[in-house]
Amino acid sequence: MSVTDEPQTVDPVLDAADGDVIRIERVVKWFGDVCALNDVSLQIRDGEFFALLGPSGCGKTTLLRCIGGFEEVTSGRIELDGADLVGSRPYERPVNMMFQSYALFPHLRVWDNVAYGLKAERLSKDEIRSRVDEVLAKVDLVAQADRRPHQLSGGQRQRVALSRAIVKRPRVLLLDEPLAALDRKLRGEMQIELKRLQNEVGMTFIIVTHDQEEAMTMADRIAVLDHGRVLQVATPRELYHHPVDHFVAAFIGKMNFIPGDVAGDAIATTGLGSLPVRQPTVPVSGPGYLAVRPETARMLGDDETPATGEATATGTVEGSVFVGSQTHVHVVLDGAGDPFVLTRPRIDDAPPAGARARVAWRVDEALVFPRPQSEVAVAGDGA
Amino acid sequence: MRDRGPGGGRLLRLNMGIVFAFLYTPLVVLVILSFNQSKYASLWGGFSTKWYGVLAHDSAVIRSIGTTFFIAAAATVLSIVIGLPLAFGLERWRRNAALDSASYFPLLIPDIVTAIGLLSFFAAIKFPLGVRSIVIAHSVWGIAFATAIIRTRLRGFDRSIEEASLDLGVKEIPTFFKVTLPVIWPGIIAAALVVFTLSVDEFVIAYFTAGQTVTFPIQIYGMIRFGITPEINAAATILLCVTMLSIATALILGGRRNRGVPEEAVA
Amino acid sequence: MPKVDDRRTHASTAGSASAGPAVPNAKDLSRSRWTWLGLVPAFVWWTVFLLAPIALILASAFFKRGFYGGVVYQFTLSNFSRAATPLYMKVFWHSIKLAFVTTVVCLAVGYPAAYFIATRPSVKMRNVLLLLVILPFWTDFLIRTYAWIILLNREGVVNGVLERFGVIDQPLGLLYNNTAVVIGLVYAYLPLMILPLYASLERLNPELFEAGADLGSRPFRVWRTVILPLIVPGLVAGIVFVFVPSLGNFPVAELLGGGRSDMVGNLINRQFLTARDWPFGSTLTLALIAILMLLLLVQSFALRRSREIGIDA
C-alpha cells in the first residue's frame, strides 16, 4: 500500500487514462451568487462503482445532476467516451438516473413504468417485452408487474426505479441517495444487492451519498467533496488509512484529534506536553492536529512501559460504552478537548469511570494535519 | 384541541345543529313543495309531480336551460384553457407573493362591480351583449377558480417524475402529455366541474351583461318578481340536484391524494 | 456518546435522510421558459376584461349622462356631488349597517361551528362535516334566496305552520324588511365565514391549548391570549369574505327587501337598467370599490402583523 500524502489534485491531461468513461474537467457551477461546484475535476473508469461522498450542501448532488443533464454547468467540460455532454438534454445522453424520490409514474403499472424508456427508443414490441421481463426477473419483481406504485412497499418501489433505468442499458447509471429512504435493515440488504447487480450487468454506477459507511461498503473508489471542491479521490482503504486532510480524516470512520502546534517531529500540546509525530512527505508546521484511529490505540497497564515507537498520553476515564462486539472507552486527556476514544475487544477489563489512565499508540500509525484556518482562532479543543 | 374543548361541548353541538338546520331547512322545504299538489306553500295538497310537467312544457324555461348550459360549457373551456398554463406559471413563481394575490384578486371583487364594469366596457367598444358577453364575463372569475383548484393538484405533485421522463428519453412536449397531464387530470376535471356549476348558477353578472339573452337564473328571477308559481319549486329542485351531484364529484376528484408519492419511511 | 468525527461533519452523517445540497435546487429550470409564457394569456385576458372595465367605471364617473342613456364625454364632478347627498349617503350607510350585522351574526354562529368541526377527532368526520357545510353554498344563489321567500311570505310555510297550530290568526309580515334581508345574506355567506376560520383553527397545535391551561390560565383567557392571535388570518379572511359581498349584494335586497330596504346594490341596478344613468351608477360603484379597497388595506395590515410572528393564512 503506497503512502499518498499529497492532496490528490487531478490533472486532466496527465491523469486521463483510456479506461475512463467519464471525464469531468474543471467544472464550475453557480446558482445565483452561490458557488455549488468550484473547479471540480474527476475521472471515472468504465465498469466502476464510484461514489460521490460528502456532507449536505457539498455539491455532490449538483454534480450528479450536471452529468445527468438536469443542470447546466457554468463552465467546464463533462466528457462521456470522449464526447462533451455539455449543452445536451437529458434524453440525448446515454446516461440514466435513479431519483432519490424514485419518481415512479403513478398512473402506470410497474411493467409500463419499466418499459416507458424503451418505448421512447422505438424498439420492437418483442424486444421491449423480453428486455423488461429480463430485468424484472433480475430484481425479483415479476409478481408485481401489474401493480401500481402506490401499492408497493418502499423497497419494491426502489427496485422499480432501478429497473427502469437499467433496462435502457445506459453507459453510466446515476443514483441519487438511493438508500436514504429505506430503514436500516433494508438498507444493509440493498447495499449488497446493488453491488451484486452492478457486477452482473457490468455497468458504471455513480452514486451520491452522505453516508460514509455506505460509500465505503459499496464503492470501488470514492470522491470526497466539501463546499464544492473535491478533497480526495481514492479507494475506501486509501481514504481510511491515508486521508489527505483533517476534513477527510474526520469524515471517514472515527478519528481522535489532539490539537497543538507542530514543529519538526513533535507537536506541542497544552496539557500533554510534547508528543512525537511522524511528518508526511510534505511536512506540516504551525497549528495542527495529531490524529489517532480509535482501534490503533491501547490502554497501558499501571506499571507497563510503552513499547518503542509508541507515544503516550495521560488522562481520566470518562466512561465506557458497551456496543456488543466492542467496548468504547472514553478518556478525557489532560489538556481537555473531546474525549479520546479507544475501542477494546473485551469488556471485562474496562476501567471504571474516574480512574487515571494512560493511552498509547504507535507513532507511525498516527497522522498529522494542519489545522484549517477557520479553526485556528478557537483556543483549546479547536473543534 | 383534538379530543376536547373548553366547557360547553353541548352548546357547541347545539350550535352546529342550528347551523345545519338553518342551512338545510329551506332547501328541504323547497324540494318537498315541488311535489305539492296545492299551489300554496302553506297548504299541503298531496303528492304530485304536476309542476314538473308544467315545467317540461314551458318552452321559455327549456330554452333558458339550454342557453345556460351552453354558456357554462363555453366558459368552462375558456377558463381551463387559460387557467391551466396560469396554474403552472404560478406554481413556478410560487414565492412571489404579489403574483399570488394578483391571481386571487378577481375572486374578491363583488360581482356587481365586475358586472357593471363589463357592461360599460362592452357598451364602450360596441360589443353586442348576449351569449358571448356572458361567456367572457364568466371566464373572468372562472380562470381564477380553475387556477386555484389546479394549483392544489400541482402542489402535491412530485416534479421529479417529469425529470425522470426526460431522463428516459422522452422530450419535453411528449413528457407533458404522457406524464404531467395524466397525473393532474383529476384536478382539471374538478376545476371544470366547479366552474361549470358556478356558471350555471351565476346570476348577477349574467343579468347585467346578457342583453336580451335569458339564462336560467335570469328566467327564475323574472318568475319570482312577477309572482310565484310552484313551477319554480320544481325548477329549483332540479337545479339543486344537478349542482349537488356535480360538486360532490368535483370534491371527490379534487381531494383524492396524489397516488404514487413514495412514503419515506416505509420499508 | 460523543463521536469524535462528528465535530467536523454536519448532522447528515448521523444517518438522517438529508435532501441534498443546500443550494436552491432549481429542478424546474428546464421548464422556466415555458412557464413564463403560461402567465401571459391569463394576465392579458384580465387586463382587457377586468382592469379595463374597472378603469372605465372610474372614468365614467366623471362624465355626464347622455339624453337617451349612455355616456356623453363631458367632464363633470356633478355625479360625485350628487352621490354625496343625504339621500344616497343614507343608502350607503344602511348597506354598511346591514353588512355589518350580517358579518356579526355569521361570526357568532360560524365560529363555534368552525371550532366544533376542527375539534372532531377523526379526519373523515371533519371532511364530512365540511362537505355538508359547503354543499348548500354551491346551490344557486337565487334559489337559496327564493327558498326564504316561500318560507317567510304571507302564504308561506312559516305562516302556514303557525296558523295551523293556532299560534297566530293573521299571517305575519315576515318578509320585506331588514331582518329578512339579513337572514338572506347570512344564509348566502355563512359558509364563507366557516371555511377560513376552520382552516386557521385546524392548523393550531393542539398542545398550545393544553400548555396555556397548564400554565394556569382559565379557558377564556387561554382563548383570548393564545388562540385568538393565532387565528387572526382566518378571522380576517372570514370577515372580508362575508362583509364585501354583503355590501355589494343586490338580489337579496331586491327580493327579500322589497324596496323597503334599499342597499347599494339595488341602487346601482336601478341607475344602470332603469334610470339609464350610467355615469351616476358608475360613481356609486366607485364608492363601493373605495370601501372595498379600504377593507382590503385593513386586512393586509392585520395579516402583516400575523405574518411577522410567523402565522400563515
Side-chain angles (χ1 to χ4, degrees):
Chain A
M1 189 180 357
S2 63
V3 172
T4 317
D5 289 319
E6 339 274 327
Q8 201 163 355
T9 49
V10 178
D11 186 333
V13 176
L14 291 181
D15 292 10
D18 279 341
D20 293 343
V21 60
I22 296 230
R23 239 171 260 168
I24 298 171
E25 289 178 27
R26 313 201 61 128
V27 162
V28 175
K29 172 72 182 160
W30 285 84
F31 282 110
D33 52 1
V34 176
C35 185
L37 294 174
N38 193 347
D39 197 10
V40 169
S41 299
L42 282 177
Q43 288 86 44
I44 297 168
R45 304 194 194 113
D46 201 1
E48 206 173 14
F49 196 127
F50 194 90
L52 298 174
L53 173 67
S56 127
C58 69
K60 57 194 192 293
T61 302
T62 308
L63 185 58
L64 197 76
R65 288 171 62 80
C66 286
I67 301 175
F70 304 102
E71 308 286 2
E72 271 311 326
V73 304
T74 311
S75 74
R77 286 165 69 82
I78 298 182
E79 279 186 12
L80 179 73
D81 288 336
D84 192 4
L85 290 179
V86 171
S88 59
R89 304 289 297 138
Y91 42 82
E92 293 165 343
R93 305 187 185 204
V95 165
N96 285 117
M97 175 115 120
M98 188 188 133
F99 292 82
Q100 185 174 0
S101 70
Y102 308 148
L104 300 183
F105 303 128
H107 58 296
L108 300 178
R109 299 172 307 151
V110 166
W111 202 96
D112 295 311
N113 256 286
V114 177
Y116 186 85
L118 293 180
K119 291 198 185 134
E121 283 176 38
R122 303 214 188 146
L123 300 172
S124 74
K125 278 205 177 152
D126 292 323
E127 167 100 29
I128 294 181
R129 193 173 314 134
S130 77
R131 297 236 294 226
V132 174
D133 288 340
E134 182 193 342
V135 161
L136 284 180
K138 242 190 238 215
V139 296
D140 193 22
L141 276 178
V142 179
Q144 275 76 24
D146 275 331
R147 300 233 188 119
R148 295 268 153 103
H150 67 104
Q151 296 169 302
L152 303 176
S153 71
Q156 288 170 329
R157 286 183 197 155
Q158 195 227 31
R159 281 180 276 155
V160 176
L162 197 54
S163 332
R164 192 173 63 174
I166 287 184
V167 83
K168 298 238 333 156
R169 300 191 187 153
R171 276 297 268 137
V172 178
L173 185 65
L174 309 174
L175 301 98
D176 187 2
E177 309 247 21
L179 308 180
L182 304 176
D183 68 45
R184 190 184 222 106
K185 181 159 175 288
L186 200 55
R187 209 179 299 171
E189 288 170 17
M190 283 310 299
Q191 281 172 10
I192 302 173
E193 262 306 295
L194 271 179
K195 189 82 185 150
R196 179 189 71 79
L197 198 60
Q198 190 253 351
N199 255 315
E200 215 178 285
V201 295
M203 216 180 271
T204 310
F205 273 25
I206 304 179
I207 180 175
V208 154
T209 178
H210 59 274
D211 185 336
Q212 51 97 22
E213 222 177 279
E214 195 165 286
M216 303 277 276
T217 313
M218 296 195 289
D220 296 326
R221 282 195 309 149
I222 303 174
V224 179
L225 287 91
D226 186 35
H227 285 94
R229 311 193 84 101
V230 173
L231 297 176
Q232 187 172 4
V233 182
T235 62
R237 286 196 109 104
E238 273 285 301
L239 279 181
Y240 189 80
H241 291 292
H242 302 276
V244 86
D245 72 0
H246 165 260
F247 178 82
V248 178
F251 196 81
I252 308 281
K254 297 187 187 46
M255 184 73 97
N256 291 306
F257 291 99
I258 300 175
D261 231 14
V262 184
D265 51 3
I267 179 172
T269 66
T270 40
L272 291 172
S274 174
L275 297 170
V277 300
R278 184 185 62 117
Q279 287 278 7
T281 321
V282 178
V284 176
S285 79
Y289 284 111
L290 176 64
V292 181
R293 289 279 183 208
E295 68 277 6
T296 61
R298 67 186 185 104
M299 202 97 97
L300 290 179
D302 289 334
D303 301 317
E304 200 181 333
T305 45
T308 32
E310 273 190 343
T312 59
T314 49
T316 321
V317 176
E318 188 188 56
S320 3
V321 182
F322 171 65
V323 280
S325 55
Q326 299 171 331
T327 302
H328 297 181
V329 182
H330 294 234
V331 179
V332 178
L333 300 175
D334 301 333
D338 284 345
F340 194 98
V341 181
L342 316 98
T343 51
R344 297 165 59 90
R346 289 187 301 259
I347 62 163
D348 43 325
D349 38 14
R356 291 291 295 167
R358 281 183 308 152
V359 172
W361 63 88
R362 291 187 54 81
V363 178
D364 58 6
E365 278 180 348
L367 298 166
V368 65
F369 300 110
R371 210 185 308 183
Q373 278 305 100
S374 51
E375 294 180 8
V376 170
V378 182
D381 66 24
Chain B
M1 184 165 308
R2 280 296 120 108
D3 33 3
R4 53 174 262 178
R10 242 167 310 173
L11 220 66
L12 279 181
R13 274 180 214 275
L14 187 64
N15 175 278
M16 197 77 230
I18 292 179
V19 167
F20 279 132
F22 178 65
L23 287 178
Y24 281 94
T25 310
L27 299 179
V28 168
V29 166
L30 201 57
V31 173
I32 294 178
L33 281 183
S34 71
F35 294 107
N36 189 0
Q37 172 84 348
S38 145
K39 200 159 85 101
Y40 296 103
S42 47
L43 229 54
W44 177 254
F47 187 89
S48 155
T49 55
K50 77 173 186 202
W51 302 115
Y52 289 90
V54 173
L55 190 64
H57 286 103
D58 189 337
S59 57
V61 170
I62 305 283
R63 221 179 352 203
S64 71
I65 293 180
T67 310
T68 305
F69 275 9
F70 178 77
I71 291 176
T76 302
V77 167
L78 204 53
S79 299
I80 301 273
V81 162
I82 298 183
L84 188 61
L86 180 63
F88 275 102
L90 286 176
E91 275 302 292
R92 166 80 179 93
W93 297 101
R94 201 179 329 149
R95 275 165 257 132
N96 189 333
L99 221 53
D100 218 44
S101 0
S103 68
Y104 288 119
F105 186 60
L107 297 176
L108 284 177
I109 304 180
D111 39 16
I112 197 165
V113 172
T114 318
I116 298 295
L118 281 170
L119 180 59
S120 313
F121 181 74
F122 288 136
I125 63 172
K126 305 223 190 324
F127 190 88
L129 293 178
V131 171
R132 274 178 295 174
S133 54
I134 304 180
V135 169
I136 292 177
H138 280 187
S139 72
V140 168
W141 52 257
I143 295 173
F145 265 105
T147 303
I149 295 175
I150 295 178
R151 277 183 75 187
T152 45
R153 188 74 181 168
L154 276 181
R155 235 168 259 159
F157 164 67
D158 179 12
R159 288 309 204 108
S160 58
I161 64 175
E162 288 173 335
E163 284 187 339
S165 176
L166 289 179
D167 177 66
L168 292 169
V170 178
K171 299 198 185 167
E172 279 89 351
I173 297 185
T175 295
F176 178 77
F177 286 104
K178 285 179 156 195
V179 171
T180 314
L181 217 51
V183 175
I184 61 172
W185 191 243
I188 296 180
I189 300 281
L193 280 174
V194 168
V195 174
F196 187 87
T197 309
L198 287 177
S199 172
V200 165
D201 287 346
E202 208 279 326
F203 168 68
V204 176
I205 294 181
Y207 181 71
F208 280 98
T209 57
Q212 302 290 37
T213 312
V214 179
T215 67
F216 191 51
I218 295 178
Q219 177 82 17
I220 295 187
Y221 180 72
M223 285 161 86
I224 296 177
R225 295 215 69 198
F226 291 115
I228 299 175
T229 69
E231 204 188 331
I232 302 180
N233 297 342
T237 307
I238 295 179
L239 201 58
L240 206 68
C241 294
V242 168
T243 305
M244 293 233 181
L245 227 90
S246 162
I247 287 302
T249 317
L251 285 173
I252 293 175
L253 276 180
R256 219 192 311 174
R257 273 199 62 219
N258 210 340
R259 300 226 240 91
V261 176
E263 315 275 4
E264 288 291 273
V266 170
Chain C
M1 161 173 40
K3 279 185 160 49
V4 289
D5 53 312
D6 273 353
R7 274 185 301 171
R8 258 308 238 124
T9 60
H10 307 251
S12 51
T13 36
S16 60
S18 64
V23 293
N25 203 341
K27 275 188 182 160
D28 309 304
L29 260 189
S30 59
R31 306 184 53 103
S32 65
R33 280 162 276 154
W34 305 102
T35 47
W36 244 123
L37 242 52
L39 296 173
V40 170
F43 283 109
V44 165
W45 192 261
W46 277 338
T47 307
V48 173
F49 293 113
L50 190 59
L51 291 182
I54 294 183
L56 201 54
I57 296 180
L58 178 60
S60 301
F62 291 98
F63 295 129
K64 278 170 92 85
R65 171 184 191 254
F67 195 67
Y68 292 107
V71 181
V72 164
Y73 295 100
Q74 260 186 313
F75 186 85
T76 171
L77 289 172
S78 62
N79 291 315
F80 288 94
S81 47
R82 195 173 149 207
T85 56
L87 178 64
Y88 296 106
M89 285 288 107
K90 215 165 41 135
V91 175
F92 269 100
W93 182 237
H94 184 73
S95 300
I96 292 178
K97 267 196 296 185
L98 285 185
F100 182 76
V101 172
T102 304
T103 309
V104 167
V105 172
C106 282
L107 257 178
V109 173
Y111 178 81
Y115 187 87
F116 179 79
I117 302 179
T119 54
R120 291 312 92 204
S122 93
V123 180
K124 204 156 187 234
M125 189 60 170
R126 275 179 269 148
N127 285 335
V128 165
L129 285 175
L130 271 182
L131 192 65
L132 288 179
V133 165
I134 294 179
L135 230 36
F137 178 67
W138 289 114
T139 63
D140 188 38
F141 183 71
L142 269 188
I143 289 181
R144 281 183 282 151
T145 311
Y146 168 65
W148 280 102
I149 295 181
I150 56 172
L151 273 178
L152 296 178
N153 79 23
R154 284 175 183 275
E155 305 100 16
V157 176
V158 172
N159 275 319
V161 166
L162 289 179
E163 270 180 56
R164 191 58 125 42
F165 290 106
V167 179
I168 50 172
D169 303 312
Q170 287 265 346
L172 295 173
L174 293 169
L175 208 51
Y176 307 126
N177 53 32
N178 286 337
T179 315
V181 174
V182 170
I183 292 180
L185 288 174
V186 169
Y187 193 69
Y189 301 122
L190 184 58
L192 286 180
M193 172 64 81
I194 297 183
L195 285 178
L197 275 177
Y198 167 79
S200 265
L201 283 169
E202 211 261 340
R203 278 164 185 265
L204 284 184
N205 181 350
E207 290 166 354
L208 279 176
F209 193 88
E210 282 157 16
D214 179 65
L215 293 169
S217 285
R218 292 189 21 217
F220 181 68
R221 187 149 186 281
V222 174
W223 182 83
R224 189 170 59 85
T225 56
V226 174
I227 312 280
L228 190 57
L230 291 179
I231 58 172
V232 164
L235 205 58
V236 169
I239 292 176
V240 169
F241 286 166
V242 171
F243 192 86
V244 168
S246 300
L247 196 56
N249 183 282
F250 105 83
V252 173
E254 188 109 352
L255 296 176
L256 292 177
R260 235 165 280 161
S261 171
D262 245 358
M263 289 185 66
V264 180
N266 330 21
L267 218 56
I268 295 178
N269 177 29
R270 277 210 293 273
Q271 291 304 322
F272 268 88
L273 296 180
T274 317
R276 305 200 131 260
D277 188 345
W278 288 23
F280 188 55
S282 299
T283 314
L284 294 174
T285 312
L286 212 58
L288 192 59
I289 297 180
I291 301 180
L292 168 65
M293 298 266 98
L294 205 70
L295 271 174
L296 287 180
L297 227 77
V298 170
Q299 180 195 26
S300 74
F301 264 128
L303 284 184
R304 191 183 314 163
R305 182 80 217 299
S306 286
R307 205 166 292 147
E308 271 165 26
I309 56 180
I311 316 161
D312 253 327

